[in-house]
Amino acid sequence: MAAGLPRRIIKETQRLMQEPVPGIVALPDEGNARYFHVVVAGPSESPYESGTFKLELFLPEEYPMSAPKVRFMTKIYHPNIDKLGRICLDILKDKWSPALQIRTVLLSIQALLSAPNPDDPLANDVAEQWKTNESKAIQTAKQWTKTYATDN
Amino acid sequence: MIVSSWIVAIFTFHLWNNNNVRKCLFVTLEKLGIMGSCVCKEKTTARSDTPSQTTRNNGRSATDGHLSGPQSETGRSDIESSTSSGYHGSQILVTRTASKKTVRSLVLETLSVIRTLIDNEIEPPQAMIQLHKIAETESGWLDVTKSLIQAIPMKDPLGPAVITLLLDECPLPTREAIVELRKNLGLSKTGPAAPYKECCCQRNLCVLLGCLAEKLAGPNSVVLLSQEVLEYLISNLSMSHPSVIILHSLVALEKFAQTSENKITVTKCLMSLDPNPLIVLESLWHDKDYLKREVGFCARWCLDNLFTSDGRACSYENEDLSKINVMLNCNDVSEYLKISPDGLEARCDASSFESVRCTFQVDSGVWYYEVTIVTAGVMQIGWATKDSSFLNYEGYGIGDDEFSIAYDGCRQRIWYGAHSQPHKHPCWKPGDILGLLLDVDNQTIVFALNGNRLPPEEDLFICARSGFFAAASFMSYQQCEFNFGAKPFKYPPPDFDFKCFNEYGHLSSDQKIIVPRYQKFAELRNVQVKEDSCTLCFDNQADLILEPCGHIGFCSTCALQLETCPICRQEINERREISGKPGKANSVFSIPVSAISKDSSAKGSDSLNPGGIMKDYDSDLKDRTKIKLVHSKRNVDRSETDSNMTSLSFNGAASRVPDLTVNGEVDRSKKTTIIVDNETQNAAMKDSVS
């Protein structure tokens, strides 16, 4: 129920503010304490380096017994992220554990940027490109990062 | 609230480029076994893990990945060809762009079909799927937006909601597409470019701007709100414009303000105007014209919550609430519903399905209240117990489970258990009065529109016998006003000896205050958490050890909802209570403390109200019925405004855990039953209340 905000969420929010995760910003919405505006820095030595990616994160009513819903708002060329920004990541699905937190989820997503997995694709055309011509795929990912994820 | 973060982002970015920091983090993550990986191949499990909740009654779909799988499989019909995996959907490339005319007819088709979407199980309409396909290219996306602006007619009460709905599932636009759209619209102080001058087009384009601002919150929302767009929207706030344009310009500005850079820009712009147009519009909140009244409501809400103006007191401070004894409960409402300062009027401008219950509970007798319909779109208004859940993002509200029933005057249906039956009333329109009568003793519910009654309903009493509240759910841009008896009723049923809430309810002066949202959250954030709290909920004391893995840091409420250890994923055979000595607990602890366990080291006093909620893990409705039975005796203690102790529902999960031991360390043979544990828990809850 939206009644009282569960202490778990309050606690996580406080900690995110006090000890921000390097390379990641997660701020609760002013009007909805279950909705977070997230910015993830593209990991260095990845095609997403120097990009800043905007995501939305929502804590459903069952949280932490069910996983947060996370989605990329910035366009990204990645075999495990589709056009709607949806992410294919096991810990957001069946491998969710209530001991995971907003910060660990976001770190995992950042790690996914460092280690794309074209064998388990969400975006099939991207994955195909990744498998058949990796250097071209990386080039495209870099180009998209420059076009969509770089703030002039 | 994103702007302040950009500075932090740049700063932390440098840190991140330090490889050591990064590697350390990755190593830590890997050790903890929480480094995620892609799960697409496990599609069958993923699907079966997400039960009926993922479909919805309003045609919305969750942002959750993978759910569009079936859409793309059925939706490719004439527009597209092959894809290798239907499951991954949306990968079909649009090779031919439909003509604008086709796009427009698809928009209209979607609009006409949406109204009939009443079954959770059916697929989204073909037209909608095709539009989403078309929008995958940049030019296609621009075509779709243009058609939305030009095709949606003024009259259809679902028009704005359909714009929201269609855009919600469209692929994300590129920055170029946004700039192009902005250029096409040609907005300025004097209005939009020629093709969009019509009042209806302008309304639609304001709705569209608002949706995009919400969807793109962050840098792209800043790109969209150029000086010209801002000037256009602000200039629309003058009373000389049609109310419908004022209204949607205001809502668009509100949505732009979700990005704090925009919020600062908009606030500055409003403050620089004398008089502040919002203060002028605010006076319309009790206007006789319902559209003007919407404008007034929104202007007042913005002034209280968003674009606060120095020297203007919050509305609640000026409101005479002495005669009001029952309100909509601002502690029992989903996140985005807006409630008026007198607690009797509510409105939703979000894309979710927002719900609320009132403060007064009825357990016996005959009761009546009325609702004035302000907007003619989808609202589900009726009765609900506390067991009814508000799943606003999934599109579930009042009438969508076994614990609530609702009247829907737009789609002309009665909702119960997420299913609906048509009724014989005409579509409602602004100014109509919905009368709702509940006879608990004779187990009947009667809905009447302007005094014209429908046959009595009885379904709600299958699962609920007492603990009823007036309740309602709102689709985007919908608004209505409740009368719990503080004002005379328009159509009191003469043949019933009914009571009205306002005569029997009581609220303290503190309880009557509808605190602006930002103040409420500021208060919440100052809450301190106890040192030995459960690391999952932080509500209860961590007093259990999981066997055989030996991990600690959990309370019984949480532990009973788990089948595997949250730290190491080992199956749990037993949950033992620890005798409260930290030293002893540590000695049992055999696996390194996770990063998470550190959270319990926070210090400070405990001041939040008790009973933070752990929702039932199985949101399966059947399970909830059981839970209801076990807890029904607690209803007696529930005060009318208490919204916290509603769903402490671990017994559904507990049925999977037959061997719960209490003080197992002392005596392993002392196995308790689930019922005993419930009582212990109830006692513990009572302690924490006092």
Side-chain angles (χ1 to χ4, degrees):
Chain A
M1 216 106 331
L5 195 60
R7 254 177 258 197
R8 156 81 182 238
I9 296 178
I10 296 169
K11 181 74 192 146
E12 277 199 60
T13 310
Q14 287 173 347
R15 210 179 139 214
L16 279 168
M17 311 289 240
Q18 285 154 9
E19 313 157 39
V21 195
I24 292 172
V25 180
L27 291 173
D29 186 78
E30 281 177 33
N32 180 357
R34 287 176 174 273
Y35 185 93
F36 288 75
H37 301 275
V38 178
V39 179
V40 171
S44 63
E45 289 166 34
S46 81
Y48 313 100
E49 186 169 0
S50 80
T52 43
F53 297 88
K54 164 106 178 95
L55 292 88
E56 61 177 5
L57 183 146
F58 175 71
L59 304 173
E61 188 163 317
E62 296 81 11
Y63 183 82
M65 290 305 166
S66 69
K69 293 178 192 289
V70 199
R71 157 162 110 142
F72 272 83
M73 305 294 279
T74 307
K75 252 177 124 71
I76 182 166
Y77 192 81
H78 190 290
N80 311 106
I81 301 162
D82 78 359
K83 286 196 176 73
L84 288 172
R86 298 177 299 196
I87 306 161
C88 185
L89 191 63
D90 58 356
I91 57 155
L92 294 176
K93 312 277 171 197
D94 58 324
K95 289 293 190 300
W96 169 252
S97 153
L100 292 166
Q101 306 168 65
I102 299 171
R103 61 172 61 223
T104 46
V105 163
L106 295 177
L107 280 167
S108 298
I109 290 171
Q110 203 175 35
L112 187 67
L113 297 188
S114 283
N117 182 3
D119 293 326
D120 241 345
L122 185 58
N124 270 319
D125 48 343
V126 182
E128 207 47 50
Q129 181 72 270
W130 221 279
K131 280 199 270 193
T132 51
N133 189 349
E134 194 178 338
S135 62
K136 175 125 186 277
I138 289 172
Q139 199 50 48
T140 315
K142 279 185 183 162
Q143 188 52 49
W144 280 40
T145 305
K146 211 174 156 199
T147 315
Y148 306 118
T150 314
D151 201 43
N152 334 316
Chain B
M1 206 175 150
I2 198 72
V3 173
S4 52
S5 71
W6 287 106
I7 303 151
V8 189
I10 292 156
F11 169 69
T12 49
F13 198 69
H14 291 298
L15 281 177
W16 188 248
N17 282 335
N18 177 337
N19 265 333
N20 289 334
V21 178
R22 189 166 64 118
K23 274 178 191 147
C24 277
L25 275 165
F26 283 4
V27 169
T28 323
L29 278 170
E30 261 161 347
K31 272 194 181 152
L32 290 169
I34 55 175
M35 187 82 114
S37 66
C38 185
V39 283
C40 293
K41 288 207 171 136
E42 301 158 57
K43 47 190 161 188
T44 12
T45 16
R47 296 299 292 263
S48 57
D49 282 347
T50 48
S52 59
Q53 277 190 30
T54 51
T55 44
R56 65 276 309 298
N57 64 338
N58 284 309
R60 291 185 202 100
S61 68
T63 51
D64 199 4
H66 295 167
L67 297 180
S68 69
Q71 295 179 10
S72 41
E73 274 173 338
T74 53
R76 64 180 68 128
S77 59
D78 59 309
I79 207 140
E80 256 334 298
S81 54
S82 69
T83 171
S84 50
S85 154
Y87 185 66
H88 280 113
S90 75
Q91 294 318 315
I92 306 152
L93 291 169
V94 173
T95 45
R96 83 186 145 86
T97 312
S99 72
K100 273 172 206 167
K101 203 180 161 194
T102 326
V103 177
R104 201 178 292 197
S105 60
L106 287 172
V107 166
L108 289 172
E109 195 184 322
T110 309
L111 180 64
S112 67
V113 174
I114 288 295
R115 184 183 291 273
T116 63
L117 274 190
I118 43 141
D119 188 351
N120 288 345
E121 310 306 321
I122 59 168
E123 303 283 331
Q126 284 287 316
M128 198 163 146
I129 296 162
Q130 290 184 16
L131 283 170
H132 291 151
K133 296 272 172 295
I134 292 165
E136 284 188 3
T137 62
E138 195 172 301
S139 64
W141 185 83
L142 286 165
D143 280 348
V144 171
T145 49
K146 205 180 242 180
S147 303
L148 284 174
I149 294 173
Q150 293 183 323
I152 302 275
M154 187 66 107
K155 274 192 187 154
D156 197 308
L158 286 179
V162 164
I163 297 178
T164 311
L165 200 64
L166 273 170
L167 274 183
D168 212 40
E169 290 279 298
C170 273
L172 299 163
T174 59
R175 185 178 292 231
E176 283 71 28
I178 294 165
V179 174
E180 188 63 28
L181 172 73
R182 221 176 57 190
K183 215 168 82 190
N184 286 344
L185 296 176
L187 300 177
S188 75
K189 260 183 221 171
T190 53
Y196 310 108
K197 285 274 189 219
E198 238 179 279
C199 174
C200 177
C201 285
Q202 291 203 50
R203 190 237 9 214
N204 294 343
L205 96 79
C206 291
V207 173
L208 183 102
L209 286 175
C211 290
L212 289 174
E214 187 170 38
K215 198 173 151 78
L216 301 168
N220 281 346
S221 170
V222 177
V223 171
L224 186 58
L225 191 69
S226 65
Q227 188 60 29
E228 293 77 32
V229 174
L230 178 69
E231 279 174 3
Y232 169 69
L233 291 173
I234 298 267
S235 70
N236 281 349
L237 300 182
S238 135
M239 293 257 215
S240 57
H241 285 87
S243 304
V244 68
I245 294 181
I246 307 179
L247 175 69
H248 286 285
S249 300
L250 187 51
V251 172
L253 285 169
E254 182 197 318
K255 294 191 174 187
F256 274 111
Q258 287 180 7
T259 303
S260 42
E261 191 174 328
N262 286 337
K263 184 176 163 186
I264 295 164
T265 317
V266 175
T267 311
K268 254 191 207 158
C269 188
L270 288 168
M271 296 293 272
S272 71
L273 296 167
D274 190 27
N276 181 338
L278 294 188
I279 293 185
V280 179
L281 296 175
E282 182 187 17
S283 62
L284 296 173
W285 71 272
H286 53 2
D287 202 279
K288 283 200 184 91
D289 179 308
Y290 287 97
L291 207 50
K292 285 194 176 139
R293 184 159 148 175
E294 289 184 66
V295 172
F297 182 100
C298 288
R300 196 158 64 147
W301 191 88
C302 280
L303 283 167
D304 281 337
N305 290 278
L306 210 56
F307 308 123
T308 47
S309 162
D310 294 337
R312 177 191 174 276
C314 267
S315 304
Y316 73 81
E317 295 172 50
N318 300 324
E319 198 73 32
D320 175 18
L321 300 170
S322 56
K323 295 205 172 59
I324 294 174
N325 301 317
V326 173
M327 288 178 157
L328 299 174
N329 190 343
C330 61
N331 290 314
D332 193 8
V333 58
S334 50
E335 293 88 348
Y336 287 112
L337 195 76
K338 299 167 176 172
I339 300 179
S340 64
D342 67 1
L344 293 174
E345 195 159 353
R347 176 178 176 92
C348 166
D349 284 306
S351 54
S352 42
F353 198 44
E354 299 290 306
S355 301
V356 66
R357 267 181 286 258
C358 74
T359 53
F360 187 72
Q361 174 182 332
V362 299
D363 295 310
S364 61
V366 186
W367 300 84
Y368 179 74
Y369 75 97
E370 281 182 351
V371 175
T372 306
I373 305 305
V374 178
T375 57
V378 173
M379 292 181 277
Q380 293 177 197
I381 307 171
W383 301 92
T385 71
K386 289 274 184 191
D387 293 302
S388 175
S389 302
F390 302 161
L391 300 167
N392 45 343
Y393 288 87
E394 282 85 5
Y396 284 77
I398 307 307
D400 296 333
D401 56 29
E402 276 85 347
F403 306 107
S404 58
I405 187 164
Y407 179 97
D408 169 356
C410 175
R411 292 174 294 184
Q412 297 155 281
R413 305 191 83 88
I414 300 293
W415 290 89
Y416 171 74
H419 291 284
S420 66
Q421 298 295 327
H423 62 64
K424 297 249 154 62
H425 280 167
C427 279
W428 59 22
K429 54 189 188 310
D432 280 352
I433 303 287
L434 178 65
L436 302 99
L437 184 106
L438 167 76
D439 183 341
V440 184
D441 304 337
N442 293 311
Q443 303 197 354
T444 49
I445 285 170
V446 180
F447 296 105
L449 193 67
N450 300 326
N452 174 14
R453 278 187 216 167
L454 290 178
E457 300 282 337
E458 290 158 11
D459 290 350
L460 182 59
F461 301 96
I462 300 170
C463 291
R465 293 294 161 89
S466 63
F468 300 105
F469 294 82
S473 299
F474 303 72
M475 204 175 171
S476 323
Y477 316 113
Q478 303 309 315
Q479 180 177 337
C480 66
E481 186 191 13
F482 293 78
N483 180 6
F484 298 126
K487 285 189 282 185
F489 290 123
K490 290 264 174 63
Y491 299 97
D495 49 336
F496 279 95
D497 183 18
F498 65 86
K499 294 184 269 193
C500 76
F501 299 168
N502 211 52
E503 272 171 43
Y504 293 83
H506 173 75
L507 293 170
S508 69
S509 51
D510 279 354
Q511 286 171 325
K512 288 184 187 177
I513 299 175
I514 309 282
V515 182
R517 222 166 265 180
Y518 64 94
Q519 283 181 19
K520 202 163 152 185
F521 286 131
E523 281 164 27
L524 273 177
R525 298 232 168 81
N526 291 325
V527 167
Q528 297 287 308
V529 175
K530 272 188 191 167
E531 201 173 324
D532 57 352
S533 300
C534 167
T535 56
L536 299 184
C537 65
F538 292 100
D539 283 323
N540 308 320
Q541 197 186 347
D543 53 3
L544 286 188
I545 178 164
L546 305 182
E547 295 289 7
C549 68
H551 279 119
I552 57 162
F554 315 109
C555 67
S556 50
T557 312
C558 288
L560 282 170
Q561 296 183 65
L562 301 165
E563 283 170 335
T564 57
C565 170
I567 312 278
C568 65
R569 301 189 198 279
Q570 212 178 128
E571 200 168 317
I572 302 166
N573 293 334
E574 200 180 340
R575 298 148 181 83
R576 273 193 299 124
E577 204 165 288
I578 330 172
S579 49
K581 292 190 191 92
K584 199 168 184 180
N586 285 337
S587 68
V588 194
F589 203 78
S590 54
I591 295 162
V593 183
S594 83
I596 292 125
S597 305
K598 281 186 221 148
D599 273 353
S600 60
S601 62
K603 291 191 175 74
S605 68
D606 186 347
S607 60
L608 187 77
N609 54 355
I613 297 145
M614 295 301 301
K615 278 296 295 181
D616 50 329
Y617 191 28
D618 298 288
S619 43
D620 189 354
L621 291 172
K622 284 173 218 143
D623 269 350
R624 266 195 259 168
T625 323
K626 281 187 246 156
I627 291 156
K628 167 69 185 155
L629 291 175
V630 175
H631 285 282
S632 57
K633 62 172 182 254
R634 289 179 36 182
N635 287 348
V636 184
D637 305 330
R638 262 183 219 162
S639 74
E640 56 198 61
T641 49
D642 166 32
S643 51
N644 289 318
M645 299 197 25
T646 48
S647 41
L648 187 80
S649 39
F650 41 85
N651 48 322
S655 56
R656 295 197 295 267
V657 190
D659 58 344
L660 177 91
T661 46
V662 172
N663 293 328
E665 235 171 298
V666 185
D667 183 1
R668 273 176 177 265
S669 65
K670 257 191 189 173
K671 301 207 169 172
T672 69
T673 67
I674 295 151
I675 301 301
V676 171
D677 183 65
N678 268 347
E679 277 164 9
T680 321
Q681 190 68 31
N682 283 348
M685 288 294 291
K686 271 184 193 146
D687 287 348
S688 68
V689 175
S690 58

